Amino acid sequence: MEEYLAKLNPEQLKAATHVDGPLFVVAGAGTGKTRTLTTRVAYLIKVAGIPADNILAVTFTNKAAREMKERIVHMAGPYATGVWIYTFHSLASQILRKDIEVLELGYKKTFNIADEDDAKSIIRDIIKKQNLDHKRYKVNDIRNKISDFKCFSQDRFDDTYEKLVYQNYQKELVDNNLLDFDDLQIYLHKLLLEHEDVRRYYQEKFQYILVDEFQDTDHIQYEIIKLLAGIKKNIFVVGDPDQSIYGFRGANYENANHFRRDFGGEQVLNMNYRSTPEILDFANRLISHNINRPVKKNLTTEQEPGFEPLVWNAQSDRGEATMIANEINRLVKDLGYSYQDIAILYRNNALSRTFEDTLMKMNIPYVMYGGLSFYQRKEIKDILAYIRLLVNPHLDFYFKRVINVPKRAIGPTTVTKLETLAKSLGLSMFQAIDYLDVTGKTKESLDGFKKLILEMQERMLTMENLDEIVMYVAYHTSYLLMLEEEKDDISQDRIDNIKELKSVFVQGEEFYEGTLVEKLTQLLDQIALYTDLDQKLDKDAVVLSTFHQVKGLEFKVVFMTVMEEGIFPSPLSTYDSRELEEERRIAYVGVTRARERLYLSRADERLLYGNYIRPLASRFLKEMQPMKEKFTRPVYEQSSSRPSEHYLKAGDKVSHIVFGEGIVVNIESDIATIAFKLPHGIKKILENHPSLKKIG
């Protein structure tokens, strides 16, 4: 045990060897919180002599639980396998398996757990059985309302029908001996609160309780911890209130203050082992602007000085992406970094498209961490499938994708019959609609779909610009209405992605020539190059991600992008100080992901959701570097190459998918003047357009 204790700094050692009484370890980013927590468990077993099965450690992911147990067993030996290490939901399942019947709710110990898809399927069936309008009574919306009612006693049901769905849903769960995720925590809390004998048993059993990622706990989880701790109060929690960024999931930022009030006892880990002093200065200055901080800390490090974080601005969003891609090439080719050392972070998934396009164009490998590629997202593929049908209704692949999206009462059996008939007649499925022997609602729905496509096709032919198409299709197919009626965070994200797809078409209008159908066909072909290729998920690849998804990870190089007011921080947060402080914590998480190099970028002009905007610089930039008033273009230390913001330069030979080969005459802003062979001649083209590539 001595060898493991010797690896800890004085702050960590004091926390790890703390035995009796409460302790809140405020562990800043990169301060070794997991090492401290696991060493303490091993210390309790090996030195304090606490039986392993009298120790409970709770964390938030099964992966983290497994890794913690492996570390503890490695330090304390096989006997340590008896430690209870679970997520909150797994802990609830373990205890309810033994004692749920005392609640007299109709459940048996042999209950099963319904995942989110199961829960939504039950709700969907109830809506159908109650003959409710599925367009008005949306599954996701009602599921969220049920969760709020169960967890927070918030009655957000719009009418008695929605409440009846909830009542029937709960009855269905009990009748089938099913618990959903909410039930697991709710019933564990109810069991501990209302049954003293059960509460005393577990208070006696769990003599020492440890909680990892404490800043992510919700109000029920905190109450469960409080009940289990009992009068002994041997509770040890580790977390960083400055990294509390999951308020939208129910995490209660005030739990840190509740713990200080209910238990007291705290220690701060300030020594950071991840980032350079310069990066930590940015992080400390940023988070100091949050007023509501239960514990104020200032991260320090013994690392040697490194590189000052760079705050860059580009003329446009495309310029920003090109600037970053050029720097990535320099980091890899000249400075010895690997692609996997680098992360590009943004506030929401809709912002990834420009970076994806540019990395693809410059042959820089990348992976989407915790999310899909922009062009692989369901809503994007659905809208593009509709547009392809407007160009050619006889494409069966795209026909099958959208025939019942949104729902049109055209089930898989009907689709199969239609496909079989079409093949036998040698027709497309679109043509075969007229010959399928069906009646009633199915016939009406099929005819309605065909009429819809033909009407939209006719309307599209009267359009003058590509930028009209995306939103027209999204509205007239009722796809946007479908998403709007779901009324949840995911559906709003999907709506934003569709709006961002409009940006692709706006750019296409600036570039392609010919009739609208000719321009549209060229654009769809180019997009197909992105979606149809089998992308190799090489491990040595740049990571693209939202800030939320990389919490807990670290990279040698981090690009924090689109640092602009109205995007980051979000517009809604400017009206609510609590929301603004959470936005600032999200930015703080981004800064503290960086180990060696940090870049913060913005653009003077951005094409977002189909509109050009000129956003102001994010207030967070000023907060991080208050002594500087200007944001600069890239300034590089000496290396074998000095990339510019531009992808092309005068004299470069290029190839274009329509105009063939040409020579760059001039670059002004992000517009390249190119001389192509006759009959095309001189063209002005966006230098970062995906159809243009440098050759030779």
Side-chain angles (χ1 to χ4, degrees):
M1 193 68 222
E2 289 76 13
E3 63 177 301
Y4 299 109
L5 295 175
K7 295 178 181 178
L8 304 181
N9 66 35
E11 293 173 343
Q12 294 171 330
L13 181 64
K14 183 178 178 181
T17 56
H18 173 88
V19 178
D20 293 325
L23 186 65
F24 182 0
V25 179
V26 182
T31 57
K33 70 176 181 62
T34 303
R35 171 183 287 185
T36 303
L37 187 147
T38 52
T39 304
R40 186 195 184 231
V41 175
Y43 183 86
L44 289 174
I45 296 171
K46 294 283 287 184
V47 179
I50 308 301
D53 63 353
N54 289 143
I55 300 172
L56 168 67
V58 187
T59 187
F60 276 84
T61 67
N62 291 313
K63 178 183 176 184
R66 287 193 302 269
E67 291 175 350
M68 285 170 60
K69 180 162 278 193
E70 288 172 2
R71 288 196 194 189
I72 293 166
V73 170
H74 181 74
M75 287 188 282
Y79 178 67
T81 56
V83 175
W84 282 52
I85 302 181
Y86 291 108
T87 65
F88 277 99
H89 290 94
S90 296
L91 173 66
S93 177
Q94 291 291 319
I95 294 176
L96 291 172
R97 288 280 179 213
K98 183 174 181 294
D99 296 302
I100 193 170
E101 291 178 4
V102 305
L103 291 174
E104 297 182 347
L105 296 171
Y107 285 105
K108 299 177 182 177
K109 297 177 182 179
T110 55
F111 65 81
N112 289 300
I113 299 171
D115 62 23
E116 279 303 296
D117 285 341
D118 295 332
K120 290 176 182 177
S121 179
I122 293 170
I123 294 170
R124 189 176 294 109
D125 289 342
I126 292 170
I127 291 172
K128 185 176 180 180
K129 289 176 182 176
Q130 291 182 196
N131 294 317
L132 298 177
D133 182 357
H134 67 277
K135 292 182 179 179
R136 177 178 177 185
Y137 296 93
K138 304 299 294 184
V139 173
N140 287 351
D141 189 28
I142 294 179
R143 175 70 186 101
N144 291 336
K145 291 176 181 178
I146 289 174
S147 185
D148 286 346
F149 186 72
K150 292 166 74 167
C151 296
F152 304 104
S153 298
Q154 293 180 0
D155 187 344
R156 297 197 299 110
F157 298 118
D158 289 340
D159 52 41
T160 56
Y161 295 108
E162 286 190 349
K163 201 155 194 176
L164 186 59
V165 171
Y166 158 67
Q167 292 166 352
N168 287 332
Y169 170 75
Q170 282 302 116
K171 184 178 185 302
E172 193 75 13
L173 290 179
V174 175
D175 289 347
N176 290 278
N177 206 26
L178 287 170
L179 272 69
D180 65 20
F181 286 176
D182 295 327
D183 293 331
L184 288 169
Q185 292 190 162
I186 292 167
Y187 293 152
L188 173 58
H189 178 252
K190 182 179 178 67
L191 181 68
L192 296 173
L193 184 66
E194 298 179 359
H195 295 269
E196 185 178 357
D197 55 335
V198 176
R199 181 172 68 250
R200 285 184 176 178
Y201 172 82
Y202 286 105
Q203 287 175 345
E204 190 63 31
K205 178 172 182 58
F206 300 134
Q207 296 177 24
Y208 292 87
I209 299 171
L210 302 93
V211 182
D212 192 19
E213 303 289 0
F214 179 67
Q215 76 279 348
D216 295 334
T217 54
D218 61 31
H219 79 290
I220 293 179
Q221 291 163 348
Y222 180 77
E223 290 300 320
I224 289 171
I225 294 166
K226 187 176 173 183
L227 288 167
L228 288 173
I231 59 174
K232 292 182 180 179
K233 297 186 176 181
N234 289 332
I235 181 165
F236 179 99
V237 302
V238 180
D240 183 5
D242 289 335
Q243 294 187 72
S244 179
I245 63 173
Y246 292 122
F248 67 96
R249 293 183 186 169
N252 186 3
Y253 184 74
E254 291 302 317
N255 280 351
N257 285 326
H258 295 333
F259 187 95
R260 299 173 77 204
R261 178 198 65 203
D262 296 334
F263 297 100
E266 66 188 41
Q267 182 180 340
V268 180
L269 301 185
N270 280 308
M271 183 59 67
N272 178 283
Y273 294 93
R274 176 185 299 162
S275 306
T276 63
E278 292 81 1
I279 291 172
L280 294 182
D281 285 344
F282 266 54
N284 289 330
R285 286 197 291 263
L286 173 67
I287 203 63
S288 69
H289 287 79
N290 272 9
I291 297 172
N292 180 23
R293 297 175 73 196
V295 181
K296 291 184 173 136
K297 64 184 189 310
N298 211 51
L299 295 178
T300 60
T301 183
E302 295 178 349
Q303 286 195 47
E304 293 295 321
F307 300 98
E308 185 74 14
L310 296 175
V311 181
W312 287 352
N313 80 289
Q315 290 181 338
S316 67
D317 50 349
R318 293 184 295 274
E320 178 189 28
T322 303
M323 192 165 63
I324 289 170
N326 278 325
E327 178 70 349
I328 289 172
N329 276 333
R330 188 181 75 94
L331 291 168
V332 173
K333 294 175 182 177
D334 294 350
L335 302 180
Y337 286 93
S338 299
Y339 289 118
Q340 63 190 4
D341 295 331
I342 302 168
I344 297 175
L345 308 181
Y346 33 78
R347 182 61 183 86
N348 61 64
N349 281 314
L351 299 171
S352 72
R353 181 189 60 80
T354 305
F355 301 106
E356 288 187 70
D357 287 349
T358 303
L359 294 180
M360 284 180 185
K361 181 180 180 62
M362 297 181 69
N363 296 316
I364 296 174
Y366 72 90
V367 293
M368 304 295 295
Y369 185 81
L372 293 171
S373 163
F374 181 84
Y375 294 114
Q376 292 296 321
R377 292 171 184 140
K378 181 182 185 303
E379 59 275 13
I380 300 303
K381 293 178 76 70
D382 287 345
I383 296 299
L384 289 174
Y386 268 115
I387 294 173
R388 289 180 184 276
L389 282 182
L390 299 191
V391 176
N392 182 0
H394 309 302
L395 300 173
D396 288 352
F397 177 83
Y398 299 106
F399 178 95
K400 287 190 291 183
R401 181 179 183 91
V402 297
I403 181 64
N404 202 37
V405 181
K407 298 290 185 184
R408 297 188 177 88
I410 303 173
T413 301
T414 301
V415 173
T416 300
K417 288 180 179 178
L418 183 62
E419 186 174 20
T420 301
L421 176 64
K423 288 179 179 178
S424 68
L425 296 176
L427 303 173
S428 69
M429 294 177 70
F430 187 81
Q431 292 169 317
I433 288 175
D434 295 337
Y435 303 94
L436 187 64
D437 185 18
V438 291
T439 57
K441 179 64 174 176
T442 302
K443 176 65 173 174
E444 181 182 334
S445 297
L446 284 169
D447 290 342
F449 178 76
K450 185 169 186 177
K451 181 181 178 183
L452 173 68
I453 296 298
L454 292 173
E455 286 178 350
M456 288 199 301
Q457 186 181 49
E458 183 177 354
R459 171 67 181 90
M460 186 186 73
L461 294 176
T462 67
M463 294 180 183
E464 296 182 358
N465 299 310
L466 289 175
D467 57 16
E468 298 178 58
I469 295 175
V470 171
M471 300 313 293
Y472 172 78
V473 169
Y475 277 115
H476 281 77
T477 60
S478 297
Y479 201 97
L480 272 186
L481 179 62
M482 174 188 73
L483 296 179
E484 288 167 353
E485 289 177 342
E486 289 180 357
K487 298 178 183 176
D488 59 21
D489 291 335
I490 295 175
S491 61
Q492 184 56 52
D493 207 26
R494 293 173 68 191
I495 291 170
D496 289 345
N497 288 334
I498 291 172
K499 291 178 180 177
E500 182 59 14
L501 180 62
K502 181 182 176 183
S503 297
V504 180
F505 284 66
V506 170
Q507 289 177 340
E509 187 60 40
E510 296 174 3
F511 169 69
Y512 293 108
E513 295 183 349
T515 67
L516 182 120
V517 172
E518 289 171 342
K519 289 188 289 185
L520 183 57
T521 301
Q522 294 174 58
L523 176 58
L524 291 173
D525 286 346
Q526 187 59 48
I527 291 174
L529 294 175
Y530 295 156
T531 59
D532 296 343
L533 291 176
D534 185 20
Q535 182 185 357
K536 183 179 179 181
L537 297 179
D538 194 335
K539 288 185 179 179
D540 187 22
V542 175
V543 170
L544 270 65
S545 175
T546 65
F547 292 97
H548 281 98
Q549 290 160 342
V550 294
K551 183 174 173 288
L553 302 181
E554 59 183 64
F555 305 90
K556 289 183 179 180
V557 181
V558 169
F559 292 90
M560 292 176 60
T561 66
V562 198
M563 299 295 294
E564 297 156 12
E565 286 290 307
I567 299 175
F568 194 24
S570 65
L572 294 178
S573 68
T574 58
Y575 302 102
D576 187 326
S577 61
R578 292 171 301 178
E579 293 287 340
L580 180 60
E581 293 204 345
E582 176 146 335
E583 290 283 301
R584 189 174 284 112
R585 293 195 294 271
I586 295 169
Y588 177 79
V589 166
V591 173
T592 54
R593 298 313 92 200
R595 291 167 55 188
E596 298 176 6
R597 294 172 184 260
L598 174 65
Y599 303 80
L600 304 108
S601 64
R602 61 173 293 264
D604 294 329
E605 183 178 76
R606 182 171 303 281
L607 177 60
L608 185 67
Y609 307 150
N611 297 307
Y612 283 101
I613 59 173
R614 297 189 63 82
L616 298 174
S618 170
R619 70 190 70 190
F620 299 153
L621 295 176
K622 181 67 175 176
E623 292 171 359
M624 281 186 266
Q625 55 161 23
M627 303 307 293
K628 296 182 180 180
E629 295 183 359
K630 292 185 177 180
F631 309 123
T632 64
R633 298 289 179 84
V635 177
Y636 303 95
E637 66 265 28
Q638 286 190 350
S639 65
S640 61
S641 65
R642 290 171 56 86
S644 70
E645 182 182 338
H646 292 293
Y647 169 59
L648 299 174
K649 65 180 184 299
D652 281 346
K653 291 183 179 180
V654 295
S655 175
H656 184 270
I657 63 172
V658 175
F659 306 136
E661 293 185 5
I663 296 177
V664 178
V665 177
N666 182 45
I667 297 287
E668 185 175 347
S669 296
D670 53 1
I671 303 296
T673 301
I674 303 172
F676 292 101
K677 295 177 181 178
L678 294 174
H680 302 297
I682 301 294
K683 300 287 183 183
K684 290 184 180 292
I685 301 173
L686 296 168
E687 66 158 335
N688 200 35
H689 196 279
S691 295
L692 193 66
K693 289 191 176 181
K694 185 161 57 175
I695 60 176

